[in-house]
Amino acid sequence: MSTPGVAMVEAAPSAALRPYVTRLAAYREHHPAPVVRSEMAMPGAVLILALGAPMEAGGRRVTAFSGGLSDRFTVTRTEGPCEGVEVLLTPFGARRLYAVPMRHLTNLVLPLDELLGPWAGTVLDRLASMPSWHDRLALVDSLLCARILSGPAVRPEVRWAWARLLESGGRLGVSSLAETLGWSHRHLVARFQEEIGLPPKTAARVIRFGRARRLLRSGQAIATVAADCGFYDQAHMNREFRVLGDITPGQIRPRVTPAGEAC
């Protein structure tokens, strides 16, 4: 009988895959009772190559699944033992892997066979036959690399604009991006929805949320993070954390209780 909990082994994506995948992790999960989680919005897409019991994700019952970028948290419920490989895709990794306009996948969770057809079944069958977690990770890396690199190319202007948003922590204005590219605001929004799935202003919100979480985890004060990340005030940051992560800043970096104050 497996030990309850989650066990995980990570591997760095191969060089060819790094522009498209930020994380590869083989995992095994088993709990004595159902586990409900709120999965936070992130500037990428999650691909779950799972074997075992199905779970609920985004209101659907699925086993292996994925989707596009989200502008809200997603609720998952794990009920039985499962294992597999979790892949975190960049927007362009998802775009090239699924070869569909990313606006069609925004805020959706879909069974993998709906997205990838017979290829999904082939990957899962081969995954189940691998003797070790490291073999599973190497297999997924190889299969994803071949599939992604054969997918549709991403416009260099969108790549450039996305990189600028990441570098700025989501603080760069959409008008500045459009002006530098020589595009209209409307054209920039259309290209982002096609290749990323979110309009640039919404994508910037998700990126800013991720940066704020990292700064809070590093120990910075909530008020400092709010100002540094460009929130209007702490109330604004609280609202964004609720929508994007179903969490508050204080839950990421708990406030220290002053001496003598009741807990």
Side-chain angles (χ1 to χ4, degrees), residues 42-121:
M42 54 171 281
V46 180
L47 166 64
I48 300 295
L49 300 167
L51 309 165
M55 63 183 290
E56 290 182 17
R60 298 194 65 166
R61 194 160 182 81
V62 289
T63 303
F65 62 93
S66 187
L69 274 68
S70 297
D71 61 3
R72 64 199 68 170
F73 66 88
T74 301
V75 176
T76 64
R77 177 184 171 94
T78 303
E79 297 180 357
C82 59
E83 59 185 274
V85 175
E86 178 188 73
V87 183
L88 300 189
L89 299 160
T90 70
F92 308 126
R95 166 68 170 142
R96 300 195 72 178
L97 179 64
Y98 301 128
V100 298
M102 289 302 292
R103 65 179 182 276
H104 295 325
L105 304 180
T106 303
N107 291 324
L108 290 182
V109 171
L110 297 172
L112 206 58
D113 58 356
E114 290 187 20
L115 283 167
L116 294 172
W119 188 86

Side-chain angles (χ1 to χ4, degrees), residues 95-218:
R95 166 68 170 142
R96 300 195 72 178
L97 179 64
Y98 301 128
V100 298
M102 289 302 292
R103 65 179 182 276
H104 295 325
L105 304 180
T106 303
N107 291 324
L108 290 182
V109 171
L110 297 172
L112 206 58
D113 58 356
E114 290 187 20
L115 283 167
L116 294 172
W119 188 86
T122 300
V123 172
L124 295 171
D125 287 345
R126 293 187 62 183
L127 201 63
S129 70
M130 291 294 102
S132 73
W133 286 8
H134 291 289
D135 289 325
R136 286 183 171 182
L137 290 166
L139 173 70
V140 171
D141 189 298
S142 174
L143 294 176
L144 281 179
C145 193
R147 174 91 182 193
I148 286 173
L149 294 182
S150 67
V154 177
R155 293 190 63 153
E157 297 93 339
V158 179
R159 283 183 177 274
W160 177 88
W162 179 255
R164 301 294 81 74
L165 282 180
L166 290 176
E167 288 171 0
S168 72
R171 298 198 64 172
L172 191 61
V174 177
S175 59
S176 174
L177 288 173
E179 182 178 352
T180 303
L181 288 170
W183 286 359
S184 69
H185 179 274
R186 183 175 181 178
H187 186 68
L188 179 63
V189 169
R191 295 280 64 79
F192 258 64
Q193 290 179 319
E194 178 83 4
E195 311 224 20
I196 291 172
L198 299 173
K201 185 174 181 179
T202 306
R205 286 177 57 212
V206 175
I207 292 169
R208 180 176 59 190
F209 169 65
R211 179 168 183 259
R213 285 167 48 215
R214 291 191 297 273
L215 292 176
L216 289 170
R217 288 197 181 107
S218 74

